[in-house]
Amino acid sequence: MKFNTKLVLGIESTAHTWSVGIMDFNGKVMSVVNDTFIPDKGGLHPYLVKEQHLNNFKRVIRQALRDANCKMCDIDLIAFSKSPGLGPILKIGAQVARMLGQLLNIPIIGVNHCIAHIEIGRLMCNIEDPLTLYVSGGNTIVSAYESNKYQIFGETLDISIGNMIDMFARDIGLSHPGGPKIEKLAHQSKRYVQLPYVVKGMDLSFSGLYTAAKKLIDSKTYEISDVAYSLQETAFAMLTEVTERALAHTEKDEVLLTGGVAANKRLQEMIAYISKEHNAKFEVVPLKYAGDNGIMIAWTGILRYISEGRPNLLNTMIDPKERMDTLTIPWRK
Ligand code: AMP
Ligand code: MG
């Protein structure tokens, strides 16, 4: 089969999910296949995640090629997540990308995972210049484009919102991922119990809130659903406050909600409310593309490749701690 435009294969490998997405250079999705590590107990152990990705990477690539009805030799560009994330896991994506690039003699391009979450949102929701709230198992970031970069207006100072909810869920005996189960549980209550609300300047801290909620559970003075409800209300109100202040400051007229936690209806409701107050259009990234996926990496790879061309090999080194606000965004000039 002949394709009338070029194809990119995107590899997501920053944490729990190994995902491969194939897309054409016009932004048409051809396929996306995920394999996600789910811990039996505790959090993400890098060694166990790495083993799972190593055992599954080939199957996932093959399935993505089959679903896209193409062969490896039809691919023109490989994009992979080079930052930020867990070092041993980023390395697998980078190594697979390098091997494929060399075997096929095609360029490879490294992509910042956080920027990819925003770019796929702009594409899928057909919006131009949003203020973005990115909430996931690894990140909690409020950002917007300014002065040729995705500036960070607010972020967590300790754990991410998704991680905090997952830890609380584990403490009350719920399996991973805890987010959807806590959302359900919170629905059973309307009794708000005071919990620490920690916004420092434009940044957030969730560890005190987590500890206080855990203490309430241990004290057995409230129903579990009351604590789940109060935890959600407090954490989401903190996120909403910071997002609203960034919106007032940047005067953007679009708000984008993305990351795995974007699935939460109560959070959507709160962010929709402040967006309306500021006359901004509110969009949630379709859930298939809001969590970690290879398509967001593929698309951001295309954008950078078209504007900067083939990178030199040094630019394809992984960088577990790279901040999105250090990178220029040439395709948005
Ligand atoms: P990601 O890291 O972007 O793949 O997102 C995974 C995170 O999203 C995990 O922490 C989940 O618990 C969380 N999550 C998924 N669905 C929901 C939900 N309905 N409410 C809150 N958190 C959620
Ligand atoms: Mg993510």
Side-chain angles (χ1 to χ4, degrees):
M1 178 169 173
K2 264 254 173 254
F3 294 91
N4 47 16
T5 167
K6 289 184 170 187
L7 297 182
V8 56
L9 182 145
I11 298 172
E12 158 58 28
S13 174
T14 57
H16 46 58
T17 299
W18 175 270
S19 173
V20 173
I22 298 175
M23 167 179 238
D24 75 16
F25 270 43
N26 296 322
K28 182 177 165 213
V29 175
M30 318 284 289
S31 66
V32 58
V33 180
N34 298 347
D35 180 78
T36 299
F37 175 87
I38 297 181
D40 290 338
K41 58 178 170 42
L44 289 186
H45 191 304
Y47 176 78
L48 297 177
V49 184
K50 189 176 132 188
E51 282 302 300
Q52 174 153 331
H53 291 353
L54 280 173
N55 287 332
N56 285 284
F57 81 89
K58 199 170 97 184
R59 174 183 64 77
V60 174
I61 292 174
R62 280 204 168 146
Q63 188 61 48
L65 288 167
R66 257 198 304 274
D67 292 355
N69 199 17
C70 68
K71 297 198 181 71
M72 204 69 230
C73 59
D74 296 320
I75 303 294
D76 300 284
L77 174 70
I78 306 277
F80 70 99
S81 49
K82 79 186 258 272
S83 64
L86 300 169
I89 299 168
L90 286 167
K91 266 188 203 161
I92 304 173
Q95 283 166 354
V96 170
R98 281 183 185 187
M99 279 189 265
L100 289 176
Q102 287 179 33
L103 283 171
L104 298 164
N105 196 22
I106 56 174
I108 68 169
I109 193 148
V111 166
N112 177 291
H113 174 98
C114 303
I115 292 176
H117 271 293
I118 298 178
E119 289 305 338
I120 200 62
R122 289 178 63 229
L123 177 75
M124 296 285 172
C125 300
N126 198 19
I127 54 177
E128 188 50 39
D129 185 27
L131 177 83
T132 303
L133 173 60
Y134 163 37
V135 277
S136 72
N139 294 286
T140 307
I141 297 175
V142 177
S143 77
Y145 179 75
E146 228 176 70
S147 310
N148 206 21
K149 288 182 175 164
Y150 281 116
Q151 308 288 353
I152 297 179
F153 289 93
E155 61 192 313
T156 182
L157 297 169
D158 43 42
I159 50 178
S160 73
I161 175 74
N163 189 16
M164 190 274 286
I165 294 176
D166 290 340
M167 284 182 353
F168 175 76
R170 262 199 306 274
D171 292 339
I172 59 172
L174 300 173
S175 61
H176 190 88
K181 292 154 200 152
I182 295 297
E183 179 175 18
K184 232 174 165 183
L185 196 58
H187 261 299
Q188 297 167 17
S189 169
K190 279 277 172 252
R191 184 179 184 194
Y192 183 75
V193 188
Q194 191 87 30
L195 284 170
Y197 180 102
V198 188
V199 173
K200 297 181 182 177
M202 287 292 281
D203 293 328
L204 308 131
S205 160
F206 293 109
S207 56
L209 170 58
Y210 163 73
T211 308
K214 190 170 180 324
K215 276 192 185 148
L216 278 188
I217 294 289
D218 295 343
S219 73
K220 299 194 166 61
T221 41
Y222 296 95
E223 294 291 330
I224 293 180
S225 58
D226 296 337
V227 184
Y229 169 71
S230 307
L231 179 87
Q232 257 202 191
E233 289 297 302
T234 310
F236 293 171
M238 286 161 54
L239 290 168
T240 305
E241 179 191 331
V242 172
T243 307
E244 180 172 23
R245 281 163 56 203
L247 190 54
H249 171 75
T250 57
E251 298 182 332
K252 299 285 180 191
D253 52 18
E254 295 161 332
V255 177
L256 184 68
L257 179 60
T258 191
V261 185
N264 191 292
K265 291 279 182 295
R266 179 62 178 140
L267 180 61
Q268 290 179 14
E269 186 183 17
M270 287 186 182
I271 303 298
Y273 181 85
I274 54 135
S275 304
K276 195 160 175 239
E277 290 274 295
H278 290 259
N279 295 317
K281 185 178 174 206
F282 171 63
E283 293 284 345
V284 185
V285 178
L287 294 182
K288 187 171 177 187
Y289 301 107
D292 296 350
N293 67 87
I295 283 297
M296 68 183 199
I297 303 299
W299 178 236
T300 313
I302 293 171
L303 294 173
R304 198 167 282 286
Y305 181 71
I306 287 176
S307 45
E308 288 183 340
R310 192 179 188 130
N312 86 32
L313 209 57
L314 274 184
N315 279 344
T316 63
M317 302 252 282
I318 64 158
D319 188 349
K321 296 217 178 299
E322 182 177 76
R323 286 175 66 84
M324 69 197 288
D325 58 0
T326 59
L327 299 173
T328 52
I329 311 295
W331 58 90
R332 289 208 49 189
K333 263 186 207 140

